[in-house]
């Protein structure tokens, strides 16, 4: 699931970096506002634990194995935004020290596994809690949340690879989702097992996470929805099937075999490079910068609206 | 050389090199060979074991290899065995390029990691203005991950010795309990650590034992990395 360097084109990884930075920036702001120092230390210890728990391997099929991810668990225990920061730290260490996931694609990995993981699991868990607050409902909610978080993340990875021109859409989507369905079952069993243990031994830990999730839930939905719309829009802005590596193949004399793809909307930046710039890479970078500016402006607008709404809510509560 | 360069200088040079490699996607034997030769040369200079470096860099190949399998399918004219095989035959170079770029990037990052202490790299991230909360998390991961892994391994060992006949799926279920007990310990540990930190005068900022400033050698390394990246991009 960790996307390595070179698999995403400039436009896609820049856009996702801005999305991740926006999400992390907001998470930082949220934590400063709601968490005291002892909670931040707890986050740090949990980050170390989740990193350690990733050594838990489980069998999948054909002699292969998957390992525990932890994004869903982080979201369930700490709430969405603190969970995002914990996962960002884990992913940063994996990319920097272990070559697990790339540096240019770290933003994408934070969005895929951190933001989506820490959002989806608490959301599903909350839905189950609305139906019943029994122990079984808690365990099932957490397990299903963890499963869906893994599967949804894998689908988003497939979309990103397709938008970058690194993979054929349906092949990547089918393979990623079917494989991660199996990994998701392992993740669900371990997450459900952890929650079952906590429900028995110390249920107040879950209550803390629930309170945190309730406070941040609406803003997460809006920011993620906005990001998804924007990412989709940018993909089509370039072309229906953009290809960051096309120049490689034309360079080698094999690009002529490429099949012309059907364009759904006329491209403003054909092959996601800016017209008028001769160097392919520089044109790609310029397109990426434009993507970043548009994403940044969009995120800023969304967060400003949310912050204003929160101030209004706070004022109303005071009155 | 290892001791004369600051970790933030090395980190910055490595990040620039990775960006250059990603943007240029070196795929010809000449350019890919040039990047490879430069990394190996640097590894020899800073006395990093080359074989170990190459071995560790291979971690990315299975993932990149799997993703690259989807690439030729973009060019399938007809979805029959012959059409699919044709796409793979015509576009195998694309698959190689998709594996080559991430591998060269990991090679650069592994050279950095193997020639720099982890604590120094975390310090370098702080010098490059990583947010304070994230830095605290990284410091704690560096400090406690080995402790927790040792505890987890001990618990895992006792689970295997007490229930050796369990099937793999039953064992996965027990992993939940094992991880849950680790989690409760982590919560307690977090509270204890915070109390201990406060008693030692913790104000929310981790103290720095020694400052390492950027010197001329660092600027030279960053400049070389930048020029090399620009040359790569320009060549393509």
């Amino acid at each position: 699931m960790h996307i390595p360097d070179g698999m995403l084109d400039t436009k896609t990884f820049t856009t996702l970096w801005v999305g991740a930075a926006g999400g992390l920036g907001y998470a930082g702001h949220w934590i400063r506002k709601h968490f005291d120092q002892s909670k931040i230390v707890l986050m740090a210890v949990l980050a170390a634990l989740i990193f350690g728990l990733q050594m838990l391997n489980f069998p999948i099929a054909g002699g292969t194995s998957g390992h525990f991810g932890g994004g869903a668990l982080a979201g369930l225990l700490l709430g969405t935004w603190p969970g995002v920061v914990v996962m960002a730290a884990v992913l940063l260490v994996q990319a920097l020290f272990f070559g697990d996931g790339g540096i240019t694609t770290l933003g994408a990995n934070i969005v895929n596994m951190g933001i989506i993981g820490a959002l989806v699991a608490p959301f599903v868990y909350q839905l189950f809690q609305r139906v019943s607050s029994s122990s079984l409902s808690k365990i099932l909610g957490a397990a299903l949340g963890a499963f869906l978080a893994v599967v949804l993340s894998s689908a988003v990875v497939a979309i990103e690879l397709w938008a970058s021109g690194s993979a054929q859409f349906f092949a990547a989507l089918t393979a990623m989702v079917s494989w991660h369905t199996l990994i998701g079952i392992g993740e669900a069993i371990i997450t459900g097992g952890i929650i079952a243990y906590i429900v028995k031994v110390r249920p107040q830990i879950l209550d803390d996470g629930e309170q945190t999730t309730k406070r941040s839930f609406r803003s997460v939905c809006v920011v993620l929805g906005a990001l998804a719309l924007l990412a989709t829009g940018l993909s089509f802005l370039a072309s229906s099937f953009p290809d960051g590596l096309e120049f490689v193949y034309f360079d080698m004399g094999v690009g002529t075999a490429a099949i012309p793809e059907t364009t759904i909307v006329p491209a403003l930046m054909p092959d996601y490079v800016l017209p008028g710039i001769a160097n392919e890479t520089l044109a790609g970078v310029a397109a990426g910068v434009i993507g970043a500016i548009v994403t940044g402006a969009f995120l800023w607008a969304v967060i400003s609206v949310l912050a204003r709404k929160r101030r209004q809510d706070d004022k109303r509560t005071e009155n | 050389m290892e001791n004369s360069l600051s970790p933030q200088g090395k980190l910055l040079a490595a990040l620039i090199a990775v960006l250059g490699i990603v943007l240029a996607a070196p795929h010809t034997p000449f350019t890919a060979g040039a990047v490879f030769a430069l990394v190996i040369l640097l590894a020899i200079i800073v006395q990093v074991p080359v074989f170990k470096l190459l071995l560790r860099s291979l971690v990315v190949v299975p993932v990149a290899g799997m993703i690259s399998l989807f690439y030729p399918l973009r060019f399938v004219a007809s979805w029959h065995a012959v059409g699919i095989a044709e796409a793979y035959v015509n576009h195998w170079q694309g698959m190689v390029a998709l594996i080559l770029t991430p591998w060269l990037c990991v090679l650069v990052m592994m050279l950095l990691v193997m020639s720099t202490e982890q604590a120094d790299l975390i310090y370098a991230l702080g010098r490059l203005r990583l947010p304070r909360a994230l830095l605290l998390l990284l410091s704690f991961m560096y400090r406690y991950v080995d402790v927790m892994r040792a505890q987890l391994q001990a618990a895992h060992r006792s689970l295997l010795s007490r229930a050796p006949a369990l099937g793999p799926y039953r064992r996965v279920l027990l992993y939940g309990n094992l991880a849950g007990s680790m989690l409760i310990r982590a919560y307690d540990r977090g509270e204890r650590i915070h109390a201990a930190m406060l008693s030692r005068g913790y104000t929310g900022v981790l103290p720095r034992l020694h400052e390492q400033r950027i010197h001329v050698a660092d600027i030279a390394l960053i400049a070389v990395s930048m020029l090399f990246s620009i040359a790569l991009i320009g060549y393509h």
Side-chain angles (χ1 to χ4, degrees), chain A residues 161-205:
Chain A
L161 290 172
W162 161 72
S164 299
S166 301
Q168 201 269 349
F169 180 65
F170 289 108
L173 188 71
T174 313
M176 290 296 286
V177 170
S178 53
W179 188 247
H180 283 87
T181 300
L182 298 173
I183 292 181
I185 293 171
E187 182 91 7
I189 292 172
I190 294 180
T191 309
I194 293 174
I195 298 300
Y197 188 85
I198 293 173
V199 166
K200 256 188 254 165
V201 179
R202 208 180 287 183
Q204 63 270 32
I205 290 179

Side-chain angles (χ1 to χ4, degrees), chain A residues 111 115-116 119-120 219-229:
Chain A
V111 170
I115 298 181
I116 294 178
L119 164 76
V120 173
S219 54
V220 175
C221 285
V222 176
V223 172
L224 256 188
L227 253 182
L229 276 176

Side-chain angles (χ1 to χ4, degrees), chain A residues 5 7 38 40 45 49 51 93 96-99 165 168 171 175 197-198 202 205 243 245 249 251-252 281, chain B residues 23 27 56 70-71 73-74 93-94 98 102 110 113 121 136 138 140 145 148 180-181 183-184 186-188 194:
Chain A
D5 279 314
M7 295 289 169
S38 67
I40 294 176
V45 178
L49 177 71
F51 195 70
V93 169
L96 207 60
F97 296 105
F98 299 98
Q168 201 269 349
Y197 188 85
I198 293 173
R202 208 180 287 183
I205 290 179
D243 179 9
L245 288 171
Y249 309 109
D251 214 23
M252 290 174 159
T281 309
Chain B
L23 292 179
H27 55 280
R56 282 188 68 176
F70 301 129
Y71 182 76
L73 297 175
R74 291 190 54 211
Q93 292 102 324
L98 267 180
M110 286 299 123
V113 169
L121 275 178
L136 182 75
L138 293 184
F140 267 71
V145 80
M148 288 179 171
S181 71
L183 194 85
I184 303 284
Y187 264 78
D188 295 340
H194 185 241

